[in-house]
Amino acid sequence: QVEFPVPVLTIGAELDGLCRITRIAEALYTQVTFAEDPATAVRSLPVTTIKGMSHMQFATGDPPSRVKDLDFVPEVETDAAQAAVASDTAAFMSAVLGVVDWKAVETRASASAASMQPIVDSLIMESYTHFLPPCYCETKDEYGYLQYGTCLNYANCSGGVPWTHQYSMQIMSNADELGITINNDDSIHLVTEERPSCHLPHIHGNEVNNANPGSPEEGTPPICDSP
């Protein structure tokens, strides 16, 4: 959750090649969606986007070389893009000063949020670390070791990746074609961590951990000798 002592308006350009729309979607989530009180946050830290606008259209003149190399081609005229930015800015400043109510700002913020929701959903699906950091918890498995323990989600961190346990396992196993459903959990571990060994999938419920590579009790060698 983001806090700031004064109200701040964030305006993003849909076709900004430098400050990408994915970064603006992150701002939306951390400043408003994830706030303790989103209704208040949409007034103190609102986020709006301008459809079809590029990075350079925030300015005038010739673009610097870096902007020229990285920016996207706009889909609206510069005058229209800058007028939209001015409209959002004027509505926000007028509301902050108490000249008008917050209806215009809230309407624009709501429309912008709807346009970015698919991006936010995809970032949540991958357990985007700038939304919530990984828990990196060490949970023992049913055999008493750490190889196949699953990490739970908590309010302040992500235990696993939703994409893995909701979709990828179903796709890779061809489960839909076979008419079966896979109930699974996913845990996030550091890539350099040796235990669990390589973090391979495991079918839980075996009486013995005979599919547990690297188990010192069984003397089975690890699948990976080094990270």
Side-chain angles (χ1 to χ4, degrees), residues 163-178 180 182 184 186 199-201:
W163 166 256
T164 300
H165 65 254
Q166 292 180 24
Y167 296 101
S168 67
M169 292 301 295
Q170 291 288 117
I171 295 170
M172 291 188 293
S173 65
N174 199 29
D176 291 339
E177 287 287 328
L178 297 173
I180 62 175
I182 297 177
N184 68 99
D186 177 69
H199 327 305
L200 292 179

Side-chain angles (χ1 to χ4, degrees), residues 142-145 202-211 218:
E142 62 263 46
Y143 315 114
Y145 312 121
H202 175 73
I203 298 176
H204 292 271
N206 297 327
E207 293 183 1
V208 294
N209 56 341
N210 55 2
E218 293 189 0

Side-chain angles (χ1 to χ4, degrees), residues 26-75:
E26 179 187 335
L28 167 67
Y29 187 84
T30 56
Q31 293 171 201
V32 180
T33 309
F34 197 61
E36 185 175 349
D37 184 0
T40 299
V42 80
R43 295 184 177 188
S44 61
L45 295 168
V47 178
T48 65
T49 57
I50 310 301
K51 186 174 178 61
M53 184 181 182
S54 70
H55 184 88
M56 187 58 199
Q57 287 183 312
F58 281 105
T60 57
D62 296 328
S65 59
R66 181 170 176 80
V67 175
K68 187 176 181 179
D69 290 342
L70 298 178
D71 205 5
F72 296 137
V73 178
E75 295 180 351

Side-chain angles (χ1 to χ4, degrees), residues 75-97:
E75 295 180 351
V76 296
E77 296 296 327
T78 297
D79 286 348
Q82 293 179 348
V85 172
S87 177
D88 284 356
T89 303
F92 175 71
M93 294 180 67
S94 297
V96 169
L97 294 173

